[in-house]
Amino acid sequence: MFEIKVFVICLFLLCACFCKVQKQDASSLKLVMYWGQDSAGNRYPNNLEKPLAQVCSYPGYDIINIGFVIIFFDQNNKGQLPGLNFANHCTTSFPGYPDLLNCTTDIGNDIKKCQSMGKKIVLSFGGAAGSYGFSSDSQAVSFAETVWKLFFEEKDAAFPRPFGDAIIDGVDLDIEGGMPTGYAAFVTALRSKMNSGSKTYYISGAPQCPFPDAYLGPKPGTPLGDAGRAFDYVTVQFYNNYCSYSGGSYFWSSFAQWASWSRTSTSSKVKIFLGLPASTGAAGGGYLSPDTLSGIVHSLHQNYTDVFGGVMLWDASWDQNNVVNGNPYGFSVVKILDSQ
């Protein structure tokens, strides 16, 4: 009888350990949410995008990409410091810097609240509208220095800090125009500073699903081609393109290409996220119902366990207005990710 009890106890402990490992593995799939543009605001004027801290409070919303830095060298600002746009979330600027927003008391404070919840806050550069890009590698390296002083650890009295003493967790490149010149030099210089920083920082990109992306690559002369090892993950936009899920085989072959690049060309295996619109109105195509998404995520997780990172959604404003089973659509996505 004693031996049977010992066996049962050991079996119980083994099961408990196994279940714990399974839960930890599940949590490795993340949700990335874009926030800051309130792109659904015109459609839903009575339900504008919620404050950053509220979005961060949603369980499983792991990484929030704040968009955007829309002008890299703004002629309206002293010293040509960058221009920012966060829609209705922040509209106050610094004296002498009409396009450099002073978001210390709203977004800045919310960043610190989000980080206290364990969420990562990443600042996105580019977007569908704006004036951004580099004329040379040296200009890009100089811009990395500026970004480090404005948003990261180094403080300089000559550089007003848009988020006050809040320190972001990384940068995202959502480059949708211009030339690829300088971006590899920018992320390389910024990664060098991050590596000497006091905490872990992240660099991500948001390429379109056709491989390679016209601006980010990977191909020679692009950031993913020349500096792929500087990136931690890419949130590939599988929407508004022929390689969205409705494209059938184009979708699966596109993801396979991105996964192959990560496995063979980057020493750290850059994580590949499935980028999707958070509702039918958020893009011209590519939205997936939770039932459809569940099967896709399961297949990607099974076939690309080493490189599949999770799901990215555009954006929080559309997410909150797409209510599924009483909650924003993203709740269903988190449940799918956690079930793997």
Side-chain angles (χ1 to χ4, degrees):
M1 179 65 70
F2 175 76
E3 291 179 350
I4 293 176
K5 288 182 178 180
V6 170
F7 174 77
V8 170
I9 292 172
C10 290
L11 185 62
F12 173 80
L13 292 175
L14 180 61
C15 178
C17 292
F18 177 76
C19 293
K20 184 177 181 180
V21 169
Q22 290 298 302
K23 182 62 177 177
Q24 289 173 342
D25 287 344
S27 67
S28 66
L29 294 180
K30 307 295 184 184
L31 175 65
V32 176
M33 179 69 72
Y34 274 89
W35 175 93
Q37 286 300 293
D38 192 19
S39 62
N42 289 335
R43 176 81 67 88
Y44 302 101
N46 296 322
N47 190 24
L48 299 179
E49 192 170 61
K50 298 296 187 284
L52 178 61
Q54 182 171 336
V55 176
C56 287
S57 72
Y58 299 157
Y61 286 44
D62 302 296
I63 303 170
I64 311 297
N65 285 357
I66 301 179
F68 289 102
V69 177
I70 60 169
I71 305 175
F72 289 0
F73 304 96
D74 195 321
Q75 300 292 330
N76 294 326
N77 293 334
K78 289 192 298 185
Q80 296 185 33
L81 293 186
L84 314 179
N85 182 290
F86 303 125
N88 53 289
H89 294 291
C90 175
T91 57
T92 303
S93 59
F94 291 98
Y97 305 87
D99 297 330
L100 185 65
L101 299 176
N102 181 358
C103 310
T104 303
T105 59
D106 33 47
I107 298 178
N109 286 341
D110 275 6
I111 288 174
K112 291 184 284 187
K113 292 177 183 177
C114 291
Q115 291 170 332
S116 71
M117 302 175 202
K119 307 303 175 74
K120 303 300 180 184
I121 304 299
V122 174
L123 182 61
S124 189
F125 290 67
S131 176
Y132 52 82
F134 305 109
S135 60
S136 65
D137 284 355
S138 60
Q139 187 187 48
V141 171
S142 176
F143 187 63
E145 182 74 26
T146 297
V147 169
W148 187 252
K149 292 178 179 178
L150 289 174
F151 304 107
F152 289 96
E153 296 181 19
E154 185 176 348
K155 296 179 175 63
D156 187 321
F159 290 78
R161 292 177 60 86
F163 302 140
D165 61 356
I167 298 173
I168 61 174
D169 296 296
V171 301
D172 168 65
L173 295 181
D174 180 19
I175 308 306
E176 302 185 29
M179 300 293 292
T181 304
Y183 286 104
F186 170 68
V187 297
T188 299
L190 195 56
R191 174 56 70 191
S192 177
K193 290 183 174 296
M194 290 175 168
N195 289 344
S196 62
S198 62
K199 65 176 184 177
T200 300
Y201 292 107
Y202 303 89
I203 296 178
S204 67
Q208 303 289 318
C209 57
F211 185 91
D213 180 78
Y215 308 107
L216 294 178
K219 57 185 177 181
T222 64
L224 292 177
D226 295 350
R229 288 176 174 80
F231 287 79
D232 297 286
Y233 58 92
V234 290
T235 56
V236 183
Q237 299 180 44
F238 284 93
Y239 52 93
N240 291 339
N241 273 296
Y242 67 88
C243 40
S244 63
Y245 182 67
S246 62
S249 62
Y250 290 112
F251 169 81
W252 297 106
S253 62
S254 174
F255 198 96
Q257 286 178 299
W258 285 104
S260 176
W261 163 74
S262 175
R263 287 168 169 170
T264 61
S265 301
T266 63
S267 58
S268 57
K269 290 188 179 178
V270 174
K271 292 294 184 182
I272 311 298
F273 281 70
L274 174 63
L276 300 171
S279 80
T280 55
Y287 174 74
L288 299 174
S289 69
D291 286 343
T292 301
L293 179 60
S294 179
I296 296 170
V297 167
H298 180 73
S299 180
L300 293 176
H301 183 55
Q302 291 295 311
N303 293 302
Y304 304 102
T305 305
D306 56 331
V307 295
F308 179 51
V311 172
M312 173 273 280
L313 294 178
W314 173 268
D315 66 353
S317 64
W318 290 104
D319 177 56
Q320 71 186 36
N321 284 290
N322 181 15
V323 178
V324 180
N325 296 323
N327 289 306
Y329 172 72
F331 280 56
S332 297
V333 177
V334 169
K335 184 178 181 180
I336 291 168
L337 295 175
D338 285 349
S339 69
Q340 302 308 306

